[in-house]
Amino acid sequence: MPRLAVPSLRTLRSAPPTPGREIARIAVPVSMEFVLMLVLNFVNQIVVGGLGATAIAAVGFSNSLTFILAVTLGCLGTSVSILVARAHGAGRRGDLDHTVTAAVLTALVLGVVVSFVPWFFADRVMGLVGASDAVAAAGTDYFRLTVLATLPVMLSAIMSGVLRSVGQPARPMVATMITVVANSILALSLVTGLGPFPALGVAGAGWATLITAVAKTLILLWMAYGRKVIGWSLPDSLRQWHAVVVPLFVLALPLGVTELFWTVGTFLYNVVFQQLGDEALAAAQIVTTLEGIFIVGSIGLMAATTTLVGRSVGSGDVDAAMAWVRRVTRAGVGTAAVFGVLFATSVLFLDTLFAEAGRDVRVMAGVGILINAAFQVIKVRNMIIGAGVLPSGNDVRGVILGDAVGAFLVGLPLAIVLGLHTPLGYAGIFIARIVDEAAKLAIFTWRARRIRWHALVDSTAPLPA
C-alpha cells in the first residue's frame, strides 16, 4: 500500500494563507491597536470623571475640536497607505520611499502650523464655538496641550499606514500597547497627584496625551527607518517630484475635505447636545467613547481593504481587487453584530464606571448606547465602504458626497428639530445621527457600484522610462 503524503509543519507554514487568514493578519492587529487607543481615552475619561460631569464634558468638547485637526490631517496617512500598498504590490521600492519621504516633509510643515496657531488662541476658541463658561474654563488647558499633539499624531498615522501596507501590521500595535500603558499611568498620576506628581486636574490628562504621542511617534520612526523597512529618499528630478506629489495630494486633499466634513459634523452634534446642558453633553461623550472602543473592533477591516485592494491594483489584478472588496464587506457584517451586542451590554457598567457623573447623565448615556448599538452594522459598513473601498477605487468624491449629505442635509437639521423642538430631547439627537448614517450608507453603496476597477488599474500602471 502506498504511503500517504503528510505535509510537514514547514510546508504548512509556507503554504499561502487563505483569504480569511490574510484579512485577519492585517485586520486583527489594526483593530487591537485602535481598541487600545480608545481604551486609553476611556481610561482618561474615567480618571477625569472623578472630577464630575463638567470635567467629562470639558475633555469631550476639547477632544471633538482636536479630533477635527487630527482626523482631517490624518488623511495624509490614508493616502500614503494606499499609494505604498500599490507600490509594494508592483515591487517599486523607489516609488515607495519617495512617497513616504514626501509625506513626512508635508506632515512636518502642516503639523507645525496647525499645532501652534490654535495654541495661542485656546482660551477663546472653546467659548467661541459653543462651550459653556464652565466647560470652557475647565477644558482650555487640556485643549492647549492636546492640540500640540497634532504633529506627532500625523507622523504616527503615516508610519502606521506604511508599516501595514508593506506587510507589518503588528508593529504599530506594539507601539500603541507601550504608549497606552504609559498614558494610563501618567494620566492617573498627573490628574490626581499620585505619588510625587502634582495634581493638575483636567490638564494632567492633556500632558499625558502629549508626552505619549511624542513617544509613539519616535517608536514608529525607529520601526520604519531604524529597521530599514523604508528608506529616506528624496526624488532626484522635478519629474519624479511630480510623479510622487500629485498622486499623494490627489488622494489626500479630497480625503481631507471629507474628514473635515465628518469631524465638523461630529463637533456640531456636540454643540446641539450642549444646548441641552452640560449633563447632556457629558452623556454624549460617554456614549462616543464607549462606542469607539467597540466599533474599532471592526476598523481593521478598513485597513485590510486599503492594503489588499491596493496591492491587487498595483499588481494589475482587477479580479483580486474586486474579490477582496466582497470578502471584507461580508466580514464587516459579522464583526459589527458581535461588537454591537458587546456595546449594548456596556450599559450594565455605567453605574460603576461613572458614579460621580450623576444619575441623569448615566440614564441619558444608557439610552444613547442602546440606540447606537442597534445600528452598529450600518456604521461598520460605512467605515469599510466610505473609508476603504471608495478611496481605494479613487472615488473620494463619493466619500465627500456621502459625508456632506448625511451630516449637513439630513442628520444635523433633524437633530436640531428632534433634539431642541420635540419631547424626544437628547434621544432625538441620537436618532438623528442614525438617520445620518443610513443616508451615508445609501450614497456610499451607490458610488461603490460605479467604480471602474479596470480603468483604475490602467491609470496606476507606471509610465515607461
Side-chain angles (χ1 to χ4, degrees), residues 16 20 26-27 32 43 50 75 88 94 109 114 180 188 201 238 258-259 279 301 397 417 455:
I26 299 171
M32 289 181 66
V43 169
C75 68
H88 183 69
V109 174
V114 301
V180 161
L188 178 62
L238 185 60
T258 189
E259 296 292 7
E279 290 186 338
L301 296 173
R397 291 181 181 178
V417 172

Side-chain angles (χ1 to χ4, degrees), residues 62-354:
S62 301
N63 284 342
S64 65
L65 283 171
T66 54
F67 191 59
I68 294 174
L69 293 176
V71 174
T72 301
L73 296 173
C75 68
L76 196 61
T78 304
S79 177
V80 170
S81 67
I82 292 171
L83 296 175
V84 167
R86 292 176 183 174
H88 183 69
R92 303 195 302 267
R93 174 58 187 264
D95 291 348
L96 191 158
D97 289 343
H98 289 164
T99 298
V100 179
T101 301
V104 169
L105 292 174
T106 302
L108 289 172
V109 174
L110 290 176
V112 169
V113 174
V114 301
S115 295
F116 287 96
V117 172
W119 185 87
F120 288 105
F121 303 100
D123 54 341
R124 301 178 184 177
V125 169
M126 292 188 67
L128 288 174
V129 295
S132 67
D133 291 341
V135 168
T140 294
D141 288 341
Y142 177 85
F143 174 66
R144 180 175 279 117
L145 291 163
T146 53
V147 79
L148 291 179
T150 303
L151 174 56
V153 167
M154 285 179 65
L155 292 173
S156 292
I158 292 172
M159 292 299 107
S160 295
V162 169
L163 289 169
R164 295 180 196 122
S165 294
V166 299
Q168 300 189 19
R171 290 190 176 184
M173 182 187 67
V174 172
T176 301
M177 290 176 64
I178 295 171
T179 50
V180 161
V181 174
N183 184 284
S184 299
I185 295 172
L186 276 174
L188 178 62
S189 301
L190 292 173
V191 169
T192 63
L194 186 67
F197 296 96
L200 300 178
V202 174
W207 277 110
T209 298
L210 177 59
I211 292 169
T212 52
V214 173
K216 181 177 178 179
T217 300
L218 294 176
I219 293 171
L220 288 170
L221 287 170
W222 173 77
M223 288 178 169
Y225 286 105
R227 302 293 295 272
K228 307 298 183 183
V229 174
I230 56 176
W232 183 266
S233 177
L234 292 170
D236 298 325
S237 64
L238 185 60
R239 182 181 180 183
Q240 283 190 355
W241 274 107
H242 183 272
V244 169
V245 173
V246 170
L248 182 66
F249 282 94
V250 163
L251 279 174
L253 289 177
L255 284 172
V257 172
T258 189
E259 296 292 7
L260 181 63
F261 282 161
W262 177 57
T263 52
V264 169
T266 300
F267 172 72
L268 291 177
Y269 279 112
N270 285 332
V271 173
V272 179
F273 274 112
Q274 176 72 95
Q275 302 308 304
L276 298 178
D278 290 355
E279 290 186 338
L281 178 59
Q285 302 316 307
I286 291 172
V287 174
T288 299
T289 303
L290 280 170
E291 181 181 33
I293 293 173
F294 294 101
I295 203 168
V296 298
S298 305
I299 201 171
L301 296 173
M302 178 189 72
T305 303
T306 57
T307 299
L308 297 172
V309 173
R311 290 178 189 171
S312 298
V313 170
S315 63
D317 193 338
V318 176
D319 292 337
M322 297 173 67
W324 285 123
V325 169
R326 292 191 296 270
R327 293 182 187 118
V328 177
T329 304
R330 285 198 301 268
V333 175
T335 61
V338 172
F339 287 111
V341 171
L342 293 176
F343 178 35
T345 62
S346 68
V347 298
L348 302 175
F349 303 97
L350 291 177
D351 287 346
T352 301
L353 296 173
F354 297 100

